[in-house]
Amino acid sequence: MPLHDFVYNARPARVVFGAGSLQHLEREVLNLNAQRALILCTPQQRDIGEALAARLGSRAVGIFDRAAMHVPMALAIEAREQAAALGADCAIAVGGGSTIGLGKAIALESGLPILAVPTTYAGSEMTPIYGLTENSLKRTGTDLRVLPRTVIYDPELTVSLPVDLSVTSAINAIAHAAEGLYARDTNPVMNLMAEEGIAAIARALPGVVADSGDLHARADALYGAWLCGTVLGNVGMALHHKLCHTLGGSFNLPHAQTHTIVLPHALAYNDKAAPDAMRRIARAVGHDNAALGVYELARANGAPLGLKDIGMDGAQLDRAAELACANPYWNPRAVEYAAIRALLQDAFDGVAPRV
Ligand code: NAD
């Protein structure tokens, strides 16, 4: 393909990568010119939050351990108040997209620097995108203030992520890169990262499934998640993300599993409209077709394949298709109700994507 004109925005995050890299936590706090860190985590990850506090000693001024899905506004306000009351001069978000989202909600108001320590493959730490939920409505926006200043990627912290969630979280990451490859505002640098990110995850997953403590496989998966998250933070997303936002937001389906199930079908929908992107995705997953390759990657690693298996009600598919077609995101192929309804039926049934 000939090189087209593009705009590339480098995002200013510092990345510290490697098994055991959590040992650099204090150095990285000081590097932010900070002395008083508030640690954020979920109740389930309180033990990790405490381990970080122990490492920092007097430089940790508190732990806020109630991070929750979709960042409820009331919780964000409480966390902001706690940060202010403790005189925190940075926040450390250790966990998945929900915890990092809480850090972003604090930074949005206060400008407090965020140090992220991701423990899933969701990729939020690499994006300036935030979300806040109030009265059952999730509002998202983009603001460079919420982008974590430093990210410590320590594969050791992902070993405890259950294998089923590891697989779906990693395919969620692949979705960012796959859609980035056919984004309207794509650029050659993001394309490199996207293909490398998908390939790293595809080669990592069998190792993670075979042995969840395999640190080489965990490092590959986390490296891939970093690259895929960077793509999400740089270029626009399309049909697949619109479908998943609709299914997650209006039908309360779980985030990573929904992405995993829908992605092969969204790729099949766009197959003919984005041949260069499909070639790159197929090459990265080692298959001759992108959609079938991603479906096979999910199947071979034990992921759920049908929306019917994760709580979707078949009677809601018409409504889901209507919502997905209303205010569609830009997509390489026009978004048409009948074809989207058929796509959702396939995703519901868990059959192989139609290419
Ligand atoms: P999550 O953060 O909700 O975590 C799911 C559960 O797994 C939590 O209970 C958590 O404590 C637990 N967990 C996380 N890491 C673990 C580990 N290593 N070991 C054991 N348990 C662990 O899930 P997620 O998929 O990372 O994030 C999903 C959320 O992130 C969604 O709300 C999504 O919208 C958001 N997100 C935002 C962006 C963005 O750019 N703003 C990007 C991706 C995802």
Side-chain angles (χ1 to χ4, degrees), residues 163-164 166-167 204-212 214 217-218 300-302:
V163 165
D164 56 345
S166 300
V167 172
L205 281 183
V208 169
V209 170
D211 172 7
S212 67
D214 178 339
R218 288 290 187 181
N301 289 292

Side-chain angles (χ1 to χ4, degrees), residues 68-78 80 105 108-109 130-140 249:
M69 279 285 272
H70 304 311
V71 195
M73 182 60 112
L75 209 66
I77 292 171
E78 256 189 80
R80 284 170 187 161
L108 183 67
E109 281 273 307
Y130 62 88
L132 278 163
T133 304
E134 202 170 15
N135 304 325
S136 316
L137 218 72
K138 187 164 178 177
R139 174 171 63 89
T140 58

Side-chain angles (χ1 to χ4, degrees), residues 42 45 69-70 96-98 119-120 122 124 127 129 138 157 160-161:
T42 60
Q45 290 183 287
M69 279 285 272
H70 304 311
S98 298
T119 63
T120 72
S124 178
T127 85
I129 307 163
K138 187 164 178 177
L157 297 179
S160 56
L161 189 65

